Amino acid sequence: MKFEFSTFITVASCSILMLTNLSLSGQTKFSFDDETLKKFDYQTLTPVKYKQITDGSEKRNAYMISIDEQIPISSDELKGSFTVVSDKMGFHDQDVSGHFLKYELSEEVIKYYDIPESNVLLVENENTKKLYIMESSFLKNINKEKEEKQKDEADRETLNQFMQSLGYKPYQIGENLYVKTKYYRIWCNTPTLEVLQKDKNYLKKMDSWYEQRQSIRKQLILLSPKLKHYIQLYNVQRNRMSKSDILAWSSLTKSAIALNDKEVDYLVNKLFGFSDINGIEEKQNKAISEISEYIAASRGVLGL
């Protein structure tokens, strides 16, 4: 027999549900809020009926699972708050005479097979009083998501207060916090906090480094046509190129290499690869790419 419910495990060729014992019975409350619906819209709950059954010659009340029904958590039926009734029950896909019936949700299943922990929760909708079973890992994931969200909010507030103490006005885009400097939009995250805790003036220095880097980039761009001239001259003259031209080319290339190394150092080690908010660097990138190619070609010919 094939079951749609995903958490059966085989014990003596039978399927039994089991998970972590959360010690939640009668205590834990939860609801499927909008965030839960977005993240776990694939999850379902299975209805449970508490009703009178006939077990052999005996009549008694029992929790019986409607195994063929699956209620998606986006259903209106699952709106409202829920309480965990029990986290110590399991069920079996066959009758065991004198113990439990097929699809009866019972603590006896756990005891009978000596299973240390159950992996399903019996939950009740507080508004409708309807009963369901759900995977305990699902509730664990819901709680984890809420804890992470609370932590993110706390971290964001810590960053917000810290940035304000430095004179910045943080603003939020989506889940992220940012501040603007003269040239940059800075994402306020843990690495940003760590940097500023060591040096509160770091963002102001970044603006200064941007200006210094811009000065270097402009010098490089001015060198580009000169390097291009010598490369073209070499392509025409080869070994007939004059010594004075080679010396001038070599000196120019060394200057370009030094400037390029400085430019890269500013970008990687001081500015962390950030792009300016005005898009000036992006407009320069083609010219900078060309000078990099000219430097590489010149080094190759000159052996620098």
Side-chain angles (χ1 to χ4, degrees):
M1 182 179 293
K2 183 178 180 181
F3 302 105
E4 294 182 2
F5 206 88
S6 62
T7 54
F8 284 96
I9 65 168
T10 301
V11 178
S13 300
C14 298
S15 297
I16 298 175
L17 277 160
M18 55 181 294
L19 272 183
T20 306
N21 186 345
L22 302 177
S23 299
L24 299 173
S25 303
Q27 299 176 8
T28 298
K29 293 186 179 183
F30 64 93
S31 60
F32 302 116
D33 56 25
D34 290 341
E35 289 299 315
T36 304
L37 292 176
K38 289 177 184 177
K39 292 180 181 294
F40 302 103
D41 60 349
Y42 57 90
Q43 287 282 356
T44 60
L45 270 63
T46 304
V48 175
K49 304 289 185 182
Y50 186 65
K51 61 184 182 179
Q52 189 178 74
I53 61 169
T54 301
D55 186 1
S57 60
E58 177 187 352
K59 289 186 180 293
R60 60 183 177 84
N61 290 327
Y63 294 104
M64 301 302 296
I65 299 171
S66 302
I67 196 68
D68 294 327
E69 292 186 56
Q70 301 293 316
I71 311 298
I73 63 168
S74 57
S75 169
D76 288 343
E77 181 176 330
L78 300 184
K79 287 184 177 179
S81 298
F82 286 78
T83 300
V84 176
V85 177
S86 176
D87 60 354
K88 297 177 174 63
M89 293 181 169
F91 67 88
H92 197 293
D93 64 350
Q94 293 182 12
D95 294 343
V96 176
S97 180
H99 293 279
F100 44 81
L101 298 183
K102 178 181 179 180
Y103 299 142
E104 178 185 348
L105 187 65
S106 170
E107 292 186 15
E108 183 64 19
V109 177
I110 303 300
K111 295 176 183 177
Y112 184 83
Y113 286 103
D114 195 25
I115 299 172
E117 299 172 339
S118 173
N119 196 19
V120 291
L121 304 175
L122 175 62
V123 300
E124 181 184 57
N125 186 312
E126 292 186 334
N127 299 329
T128 64
K129 302 304 178 183
K130 289 184 177 181
L131 298 166
Y132 307 86
I133 58 168
M134 64 182 286
E135 300 176 28
S136 58
S137 60
F138 179 26
L139 182 57
K140 183 179 179 181
N141 288 334
I142 291 174
N143 291 334
K144 182 180 178 182
E145 287 287 337
K146 288 181 178 179
E147 288 171 4
E148 289 177 351
K149 185 178 180 181
Q150 290 171 355
K151 182 180 181 301
D152 289 343
E153 290 174 351
D155 290 345
R156 192 159 47 240
E157 182 56 28
T158 298
L159 284 165
N160 183 34
Q161 292 179 7
F162 181 74
M163 297 307 294
Q164 287 190 44
S165 73
L166 299 182
Y168 293 98
K169 295 181 179 179
Y171 61 97
Q172 195 167 333
I173 300 178
E175 298 297 320
N176 298 323
L177 203 65
Y178 296 89
V179 295
K180 281 185 180 179
T181 71
K182 186 176 180 180
Y183 300 109
Y184 293 104
R185 183 177 75 180
I186 305 297
W187 180 20
C188 301
N189 53 14
T190 301
T192 305
L193 179 64
E194 291 173 350
V195 168
L196 291 174
Q197 284 175 332
K198 295 176 182 177
D199 185 351
K200 294 181 178 180
N201 294 314
Y202 198 92
L203 298 187
K204 294 177 182 177
K205 291 179 180 178
M206 284 184 67
D207 283 335
S208 175
W209 290 328
Y210 169 84
E211 293 172 351
Q212 293 172 43
R213 182 178 175 230
Q214 272 300 302
S215 175
I216 293 170
R217 284 167 74 90
K218 289 175 182 177
Q219 292 177 63
L220 279 168
I221 291 170
L222 289 174
L223 292 181
S224 185
K226 297 178 182 179
L227 281 175
K228 181 180 180 181
H229 163 74
Y230 284 113
I231 291 171
Q232 291 175 335
L233 188 64
Y234 171 76
N235 288 336
V236 173
Q237 296 183 350
R238 297 287 176 172
N239 295 335
R240 293 180 290 106
M241 196 170 179
S242 70
K243 186 175 182 180
S244 61
D245 281 337
I246 292 174
L247 288 174
W249 185 16
S250 179
S251 176
L252 187 67
T253 302
K254 288 177 182 178
S255 296
I257 291 170
L259 286 171
N260 189 65
D261 288 346
K262 280 185 179 181
E263 199 266 344
V264 172
D265 177 65
Y266 273 107
L267 177 63
V268 175
N269 298 320
K270 293 182 173 66
L271 300 174
F272 304 123
F274 282 115
S275 297
D276 67 300
I277 56 177
N278 300 314
I280 293 174
E281 293 170 326
E282 185 177 355
K283 294 175 183 177
Q284 297 171 334
N285 283 344
K286 182 178 179 181
I288 292 298
S289 178
E290 287 180 350
I291 187 74
S292 297
E293 291 175 3
Y294 295 151
I295 290 172
S298 298
R299 295 183 76 162
V301 174
L302 298 169
L304 298 176

